[in-house]
Amino acid sequence: MKQILALLSLISLLAMTCSGAAAMSTEMVAQEMTSLSLDHPVAAHDPAVSRTRAMLEQVSKRSGEDATAIFAACRRYAGHLHDAAHIRASQLELLAALDTYGKTGQSINDTLQTYVAARKAAADKTHAAAMATLAGQK
């Protein structure tokens, strides 16, 4: 099911890019990102989507990037973790790292690279361990 959702998401993003369409709305990105991360479709009014939207809005405000760009970066780095280190990370975990440790004016890629390095270095390779490492670096 996750592969189908991921494929549909990719097709949607590619279609928008190729057609020159405007970025997806934050609400649409929040729903899609939540559905992919939870491995099942989630309704727009689900509280998890609201939490995702709030994080996207905070990250967008600090970074200057729109929700579509944030989602793409989170997907890219989740894919990197999986391909390079065989670590399964959700887009929501990466978004949480951006929301918690991203700084105003800092590139989202810089924050995500720091998170990925912490995740790879963590003894158990978990999100919680990576976030604890980042908390200690503050």
Side-chain angles (χ1 to χ4, degrees):
M1 180 66 147
K2 183 175 182 173
Q3 290 174 335
I4 293 170
L5 285 171
L7 182 58
L8 290 173
S9 173
L10 180 60
I11 290 169
S12 172
L13 288 172
L14 286 174
M16 285 191 313
T17 302
C18 293
S19 69
M24 290 172 58
S25 72
T26 301
E27 186 63 39
M28 289 172 60
V29 171
Q31 184 177 3
E32 192 161 347
M33 192 175 209
T34 304
S35 294
L36 286 172
S37 293
L38 298 178
D39 288 330
H40 61 82
V42 181
H45 62 275
D46 190 292
V49 174
S50 296
R51 289 188 297 274
T52 301
R53 183 181 59 252
M55 284 192 288
L56 282 166
E57 289 169 349
Q58 285 296 339
V59 171
S60 181
K61 186 187 316 182
R62 282 195 301 265
S63 70
E65 298 286 349
D66 66 22
T68 303
I70 295 164
F71 181 36
C74 289
R75 286 184 58 114
R76 197 169 49 251
Y77 281 91
H80 169 76
L81 276 167
H82 181 266
D83 294 344
H86 305 291
I87 297 170
R88 183 162 186 240
S90 74
Q91 292 89 3
L92 288 182
E93 289 172 333
L94 290 146
L95 180 61
L98 283 171
D99 186 43
T100 304
Y101 298 108
K103 296 178 181 86
T104 300
Q106 181 181 32
S107 161
I108 59 175
N109 288 319
D110 290 347
T111 304
L112 290 174
Q113 287 171 358
T114 302
Y115 172 81
V116 165
R119 183 88 182 244
K120 286 180 178 178
D124 60 1
K125 312 272 190 245
T126 65
H127 174 68
M131 295 294 275
T133 298
L134 294 175
Q137 295 176 2
K138 266 191 144 180

